[in-house]
mmCIF file of all heavy atoms in Angstrom:
data_model
loop_
_atom_site.group_PDB
_atom_site.id
_atom_site.type_symbol
_atom_site.label_atom_id
_atom_site.label_comp_id
_atom_site.label_asym_id
_atom_site.label_seq_id
_atom_site.Cartn_x
_atom_site.Cartn_y
_atom_site.Cartn_z
ATOM 1 N N GLY A 1 19.246 3.505 18.295
ATOM 2 C CA GLY A 1 19.603 3.162 16.925
ATOM 3 C C GLY A 1 18.403 2.727 16.108
ATOM 4 O O GLY A 1 17.314 2.475 16.637
ATOM 5 N N LYS A 2 18.584 2.597 14.814
ATOM 6 C CA LYS A 2 17.469 2.292 13.917
ATOM 7 C C LYS A 2 17.191 0.796 13.805
ATOM 8 O O LYS A 2 16.106 0.403 13.391
ATOM 9 C CB LYS A 2 17.761 2.840 12.522
ATOM 10 C CG LYS A 2 17.828 4.368 12.473
ATOM 11 C CD LYS A 2 18.069 4.858 11.051
ATOM 12 C CE LYS A 2 18.102 6.379 10.998
ATOM 13 N NZ LYS A 2 18.337 6.887 9.612
ATOM 14 N N GLY A 3 18.132 -0.040 14.152
ATOM 15 C CA GLY A 3 17.954 -1.460 13.903
ATOM 16 C C GLY A 3 17.409 -2.268 15.059
ATOM 17 O O GLY A 3 17.222 -3.488 14.927
ATOM 18 N N SER A 4 17.122 -1.642 16.187
ATOM 19 C CA SER A 4 16.730 -2.417 17.366
ATOM 20 C C SER A 4 15.219 -2.588 17.510
ATOM 21 O O SER A 4 14.768 -3.449 18.262
ATOM 22 C CB SER A 4 17.281 -1.754 18.634
ATOM 23 O OG SER A 4 16.745 -0.458 18.785
ATOM 24 N N ARG A 5 14.440 -1.782 16.823
ATOM 25 C CA ARG A 5 12.995 -1.883 16.997
ATOM 26 C C ARG A 5 12.456 -3.126 16.304
ATOM 27 O O ARG A 5 12.789 -3.407 15.153
ATOM 28 C CB ARG A 5 12.290 -0.643 16.447
ATOM 29 C CG ARG A 5 10.819 -0.572 16.850
ATOM 30 C CD ARG A 5 10.213 0.769 16.552
ATOM 31 N NE ARG A 5 8.825 0.842 16.998
ATOM 32 C CZ ARG A 5 8.058 1.917 16.872
ATOM 33 N NH1 ARG A 5 8.547 3.012 16.288
ATOM 34 N NH2 ARG A 5 6.815 1.908 17.318
ATOM 35 N N VAL A 6 11.597 -3.846 16.984
ATOM 36 C CA VAL A 6 11.007 -5.081 16.465
ATOM 37 C C VAL A 6 9.504 -5.066 16.754
ATOM 38 O O VAL A 6 9.018 -4.277 17.565
ATOM 39 C CB VAL A 6 11.659 -6.331 17.101
ATOM 40 C CG1 VAL A 6 13.112 -6.472 16.683
ATOM 41 C CG2 VAL A 6 11.551 -6.275 18.629
ATOM 42 N N GLY A 7 8.769 -5.953 16.064
ATOM 43 C CA GLY A 7 7.338 -6.064 16.311
ATOM 44 C C GLY A 7 6.546 -4.857 15.859
ATOM 45 O O GLY A 7 5.438 -4.634 16.348
ATOM 46 N N ASN A 8 7.079 -4.104 14.925
ATOM 47 C CA ASN A 8 6.396 -2.915 14.408
ATOM 48 C C ASN A 8 5.927 -3.198 12.980
ATOM 49 O O ASN A 8 6.744 -3.461 12.101
ATOM 50 C CB ASN A 8 7.339 -1.707 14.437
ATOM 51 C CG ASN A 8 6.703 -0.455 13.886
ATOM 52 O OD1 ASN A 8 7.101 0.048 12.840
ATOM 53 N ND2 ASN A 8 5.713 0.066 14.583
ATOM 54 N N VAL A 9 4.615 -3.162 12.770
ATOM 55 C CA VAL A 9 4.056 -3.516 11.468
ATOM 56 C C VAL A 9 3.140 -2.397 10.987
ATOM 57 O O VAL A 9 2.400 -1.811 11.775
ATOM 58 C CB VAL A 9 3.284 -4.855 11.531
ATOM 59 C CG1 VAL A 9 2.144 -4.807 12.526
ATOM 60 C CG2 VAL A 9 2.803 -5.268 10.157
ATOM 61 N N VAL A 10 3.245 -2.113 9.682
ATOM 62 C CA VAL A 10 2.377 -1.119 9.049
ATOM 63 C C VAL A 10 1.437 -1.851 8.102
ATOM 64 O O VAL A 10 1.885 -2.512 7.163
ATOM 65 C CB VAL A 10 3.194 -0.065 8.294
ATOM 66 C CG1 VAL A 10 2.262 0.937 7.606
ATOM 67 C CG2 VAL A 10 4.145 0.654 9.242
ATOM 68 N N ILE A 11 0.144 -1.748 8.378
ATOM 69 C CA ILE A 11 -0.868 -2.422 7.562
ATOM 70 C C ILE A 11 -1.634 -1.346 6.796
ATOM 71 O O ILE A 11 -2.247 -0.467 7.398
ATOM 72 C CB ILE A 11 -1.825 -3.245 8.452
ATOM 73 C CG1 ILE A 11 -1.038 -4.333 9.191
ATOM 74 C CG2 ILE A 11 -2.948 -3.848 7.626
ATOM 75 C CD1 ILE A 11 -1.856 -5.110 10.195
ATOM 76 N N SER A 12 -1.577 -1.429 5.494
ATOM 77 C CA SER A 12 -2.244 -0.423 4.672
ATOM 78 C C SER A 12 -3.750 -0.665 4.657
ATOM 79 O O SER A 12 -4.236 -1.779 4.883
ATOM 80 C CB SER A 12 -1.694 -0.458 3.243
ATOM 81 O OG SER A 12 -1.903 -1.736 2.669
ATOM 82 N N GLU A 13 -4.498 0.410 4.372
ATOM 83 C CA GLU A 13 -5.954 0.326 4.318
ATOM 84 C C GLU A 13 -6.395 -0.615 3.195
ATOM 85 O O GLU A 13 -5.856 -0.592 2.089
ATOM 86 C CB GLU A 13 -6.552 1.711 4.089
ATOM 87 C CG GLU A 13 -6.299 2.701 5.206
ATOM 88 C CD GLU A 13 -4.975 3.425 5.086
ATOM 89 O OE1 GLU A 13 -4.152 3.010 4.226
ATOM 90 O OE2 GLU A 13 -4.753 4.381 5.831
ATOM 91 N N GLY A 14 -7.362 -1.448 3.495
ATOM 92 C CA GLY A 14 -7.903 -2.351 2.488
ATOM 93 C C GLY A 14 -7.121 -3.630 2.296
ATOM 94 O O GLY A 14 -7.453 -4.441 1.423
ATOM 95 N N ARG A 15 -6.103 -3.872 3.139
ATOM 96 C CA ARG A 15 -5.296 -5.090 2.980
ATOM 97 C C ARG A 15 -6.047 -6.273 3.581
ATOM 98 O O ARG A 15 -6.725 -6.165 4.595
ATOM 99 C CB ARG A 15 -3.935 -4.927 3.644
ATOM 100 C CG ARG A 15 -2.922 -6.010 3.235
ATOM 101 C CD ARG A 15 -1.543 -5.672 3.754
ATOM 102 N NE ARG A 15 -1.010 -4.472 3.106
ATOM 103 C CZ ARG A 15 -0.290 -4.491 1.982
ATOM 104 N NH1 ARG A 15 -0.024 -5.640 1.391
ATOM 105 N NH2 ARG A 15 0.156 -3.365 1.478
ATOM 106 N N GLN A 16 -5.879 -7.434 2.939
ATOM 107 C CA GLN A 16 -6.548 -8.655 3.378
ATOM 108 C C GLN A 16 -5.616 -9.545 4.185
ATOM 109 O O GLN A 16 -4.387 -9.349 4.181
ATOM 110 C CB GLN A 16 -7.072 -9.409 2.160
ATOM 111 C CG GLN A 16 -8.091 -8.614 1.353
ATOM 112 C CD GLN A 16 -8.452 -9.299 0.037
ATOM 113 O OE1 GLN A 16 -7.720 -10.166 -0.454
ATOM 114 N NE2 GLN A 16 -9.578 -8.912 -0.551
ATOM 115 N N LEU A 17 -6.193 -10.540 4.876
ATOM 116 C CA LEU A 17 -5.381 -11.435 5.698
ATOM 117 C C LEU A 17 -4.357 -12.209 4.879
ATOM 118 O O LEU A 17 -3.210 -12.355 5.284
ATOM 119 C CB LEU A 17 -6.274 -12.432 6.441
ATOM 120 C CG LEU A 17 -6.971 -11.977 7.724
ATOM 121 C CD1 LEU A 17 -7.838 -13.105 8.264
ATOM 122 C CD2 LEU A 17 -5.955 -11.535 8.781
ATOM 123 N N HIS A 18 -4.790 -12.710 3.711
ATOM 124 C CA HIS A 18 -3.954 -13.616 2.934
ATOM 125 C C HIS A 18 -3.312 -12.909 1.733
ATOM 126 O O HIS A 18 -3.794 -11.869 1.280
ATOM 127 C CB HIS A 18 -4.773 -14.818 2.454
ATOM 128 C CG HIS A 18 -5.399 -15.599 3.566
ATOM 129 N ND1 HIS A 18 -6.631 -15.294 4.097
ATOM 130 C CD2 HIS A 18 -4.942 -16.670 4.270
ATOM 131 C CE1 HIS A 18 -6.924 -16.140 5.067
ATOM 132 N NE2 HIS A 18 -5.910 -16.985 5.200
ATOM 133 N N ASP A 19 -2.240 -13.517 1.230
ATOM 134 C CA ASP A 19 -1.576 -12.991 0.043
ATOM 135 C C ASP A 19 -2.499 -13.105 -1.168
ATOM 136 O O ASP A 19 -3.361 -14.001 -1.245
ATOM 137 C CB ASP A 19 -0.284 -13.769 -0.239
ATOM 138 C CG ASP A 19 0.746 -13.605 0.876
ATOM 139 O OD1 ASP A 19 0.604 -12.663 1.680
ATOM 140 O OD2 ASP A 19 1.690 -14.424 0.933
ATOM 141 N N SER A 20 -2.318 -12.215 -2.116
ATOM 142 C CA SER A 20 -3.047 -12.277 -3.389
ATOM 143 C C SER A 20 -2.095 -11.875 -4.510
ATOM 144 O O SER A 20 -1.022 -11.316 -4.258
ATOM 145 C CB SER A 20 -4.274 -11.353 -3.374
ATOM 146 O OG SER A 20 -3.874 -10.018 -3.158
ATOM 147 N N THR A 21 -2.516 -12.143 -5.752
ATOM 148 C CA THR A 21 -1.669 -11.847 -6.921
ATOM 149 C C THR A 21 -2.425 -10.963 -7.893
ATOM 150 O O THR A 21 -3.604 -11.211 -8.174
ATOM 151 C CB THR A 21 -1.248 -13.147 -7.636
ATOM 152 O OG1 THR A 21 -0.586 -14.005 -6.692
ATOM 153 C CG2 THR A 21 -0.309 -12.861 -8.798
ATOM 154 N N ASP A 22 -1.740 -9.932 -8.382
ATOM 155 C CA ASP A 22 -2.366 -9.031 -9.338
ATOM 156 C C ASP A 22 -2.435 -9.687 -10.718
ATOM 157 O O ASP A 22 -1.452 -10.262 -11.192
ATOM 158 C CB ASP A 22 -1.569 -7.726 -9.431
ATOM 159 C CG ASP A 22 -2.259 -6.704 -10.304
ATOM 160 O OD1 ASP A 22 -3.124 -5.977 -9.782
ATOM 161 O OD2 ASP A 22 -1.920 -6.640 -11.502
ATOM 162 N N VAL A 23 -3.605 -9.590 -11.353
ATOM 163 C CA VAL A 23 -3.807 -10.223 -12.661
ATOM 164 C C VAL A 23 -2.860 -9.642 -13.702
ATOM 165 O O VAL A 23 -2.275 -10.374 -14.512
ATOM 166 C CB VAL A 23 -5.273 -10.052 -13.108
ATOM 167 C CG1 VAL A 23 -5.438 -10.437 -14.573
ATOM 168 C CG2 VAL A 23 -6.193 -10.877 -12.223
ATOM 169 N N HIS A 24 -2.669 -8.352 -13.710
ATOM 170 C CA HIS A 24 -1.909 -7.685 -14.761
ATOM 171 C C HIS A 24 -0.404 -7.841 -14.591
ATOM 172 O O HIS A 24 0.320 -8.040 -15.567
ATOM 173 C CB HIS A 24 -2.273 -6.201 -14.805
ATOM 174 C CG HIS A 24 -3.701 -5.941 -15.173
ATOM 175 N ND1 HIS A 24 -4.190 -6.061 -16.460
ATOM 176 C CD2 HIS A 24 -4.754 -5.591 -14.396
ATOM 177 C CE1 HIS A 24 -5.484 -5.776 -16.475
ATOM 178 N NE2 HIS A 24 -5.846 -5.482 -15.226
ATOM 179 N N THR A 25 0.100 -7.738 -13.353
ATOM 180 C CA THR A 25 1.550 -7.755 -13.143
ATOM 181 C C THR A 25 2.085 -9.090 -12.629
ATOM 182 O O THR A 25 3.281 -9.361 -12.739
ATOM 183 C CB THR A 25 1.944 -6.665 -12.138
ATOM 184 O OG1 THR A 25 1.361 -6.962 -10.860
ATOM 185 C CG2 THR A 25 1.435 -5.300 -12.597
ATOM 186 N N GLY A 26 1.225 -9.885 -12.042
ATOM 187 C CA GLY A 26 1.685 -11.147 -11.451
ATOM 188 C C GLY A 26 2.404 -10.959 -10.127
ATOM 189 O O GLY A 26 2.903 -11.925 -9.537
ATOM 190 N N ALA A 27 2.470 -9.720 -9.661
ATOM 191 C CA ALA A 27 3.157 -9.451 -8.399
ATOM 192 C C ALA A 27 2.320 -9.911 -7.209
ATOM 193 O O ALA A 27 1.090 -9.833 -7.230
ATOM 194 C CB ALA A 27 3.459 -7.966 -8.284
ATOM 195 N N ARG A 28 3.004 -10.391 -6.225
ATOM 196 C CA ARG A 28 2.309 -10.816 -5.013
ATOM 197 C C ARG A 28 2.028 -9.610 -4.139
ATOM 198 O O ARG A 28 2.924 -8.796 -3.885
ATOM 199 C CB ARG A 28 3.150 -11.830 -4.244
ATOM 200 C CG ARG A 28 2.455 -12.404 -2.999
ATOM 201 C CD ARG A 28 3.378 -13.309 -2.206
ATOM 202 N NE ARG A 28 4.379 -12.541 -1.461
ATOM 203 C CZ ARG A 28 5.398 -13.095 -0.816
ATOM 204 N NH1 ARG A 28 5.572 -14.416 -0.852
ATOM 205 N NH2 ARG A 28 6.269 -12.342 -0.170
ATOM 206 N N LYS A 29 0.822 -9.534 -3.672
ATOM 207 C CA LYS A 29 0.476 -8.505 -2.701
ATOM 208 C C LYS A 29 0.423 -9.176 -1.337
ATOM 209 O O LYS A 29 -0.435 -10.029 -1.089
ATOM 210 C CB LYS A 29 -0.875 -7.867 -3.039
ATOM 211 C CG LYS A 29 -1.235 -6.727 -2.101
ATOM 212 C CD LYS A 29 -2.536 -6.054 -2.510
ATOM 213 C CE LYS A 29 -2.849 -4.879 -1.587
ATOM 214 N NZ LYS A 29 -4.104 -4.192 -1.987
ATOM 215 N N ASP A 30 1.358 -8.806 -0.471
ATOM 216 C CA ASP A 30 1.458 -9.450 0.838
ATOM 217 C C ASP A 30 0.210 -9.183 1.673
ATOM 218 O O ASP A 30 -0.278 -8.047 1.754
ATOM 219 C CB ASP A 30 2.678 -8.939 1.587
ATOM 220 C CG ASP A 30 3.985 -9.388 0.958
ATOM 221 O OD1 ASP A 30 3.952 -10.330 0.137
ATOM 222 O OD2 ASP A 30 5.025 -8.790 1.291
ATOM 223 N N GLY A 31 -0.270 -10.259 2.290
ATOM 224 C CA GLY A 31 -1.407 -10.126 3.194
ATOM 225 C C GLY A 31 -0.957 -9.726 4.602
ATOM 226 O O GLY A 31 0.235 -9.583 4.893
ATOM 227 N N ILE A 32 -1.914 -9.559 5.473
ATOM 228 C CA ILE A 32 -1.614 -9.132 6.841
ATOM 229 C C ILE A 32 -0.764 -10.166 7.571
ATOM 230 O O ILE A 32 0.178 -9.814 8.301
ATOM 231 C CB ILE A 32 -2.928 -8.861 7.608
ATOM 232 C CG1 ILE A 32 -3.638 -7.653 7.000
ATOM 233 C CG2 ILE A 32 -2.666 -8.637 9.091
ATOM 234 C CD1 ILE A 32 -5.004 -7.375 7.589
ATOM 235 N N TYR A 33 -1.057 -11.441 7.370
ATOM 236 C CA TYR A 33 -0.248 -12.473 8.020
ATOM 237 C C TYR A 33 1.218 -12.371 7.588
ATOM 238 O O TYR A 33 2.131 -12.536 8.402
ATOM 239 C CB TYR A 33 -0.790 -13.868 7.685
ATOM 240 C CG TYR A 33 -2.061 -14.248 8.431
ATOM 241 C CD1 TYR A 33 -2.987 -15.116 7.855
ATOM 242 C CD2 TYR A 33 -2.320 -13.765 9.706
ATOM 243 C CE1 TYR A 33 -4.149 -15.478 8.520
ATOM 244 C CE2 TYR A 33 -3.478 -14.121 10.370
ATOM 245 C CZ TYR A 33 -4.393 -14.967 9.783
ATOM 246 O OH TYR A 33 -5.540 -15.325 10.460
ATOM 247 N N ARG A 34 1.455 -12.105 6.326
ATOM 248 C CA ARG A 34 2.825 -11.975 5.820
ATOM 249 C C ARG A 34 3.509 -10.757 6.448
ATOM 250 O O ARG A 34 4.685 -10.823 6.824
ATOM 251 C CB ARG A 34 2.811 -11.833 4.297
ATOM 252 C CG ARG A 34 4.177 -11.749 3.647
ATOM 253 C CD ARG A 34 4.862 -13.081 3.533
ATOM 254 N NE ARG A 34 4.055 -13.993 2.730
ATOM 255 C CZ ARG A 34 4.376 -15.282 2.536
ATOM 256 N NH1 ARG A 34 5.458 -15.789 3.107
ATOM 257 N NH2 ARG A 34 3.610 -16.074 1.791
#
């Protein structure tokens, strides 16, 4: 089934450890820890 897999994370290229916020949109960009 689709709901049983755990511990699977996709980290995009150029992502940083910590969260950051975009100046223009104010949206939070999740960091690797998140």
Side-chain angles (χ1 to χ4, degrees):
K2 294 182 179 180
S4 62
R5 191 168 183 179
V6 293
N8 179 247
V9 59
V10 178
I11 298 174
S12 60
E13 296 86 350
R15 194 171 293 270
Q16 299 172 341
L17 279 178
H18 302 87
D19 296 343
S20 60
T21 304
D22 186 85
V23 168
H24 296 285
T25 64
R28 184 185 75 188
K29 184 176 182 179
D30 291 344
I32 293 174
Y33 284 150
R34 182 78 60 185

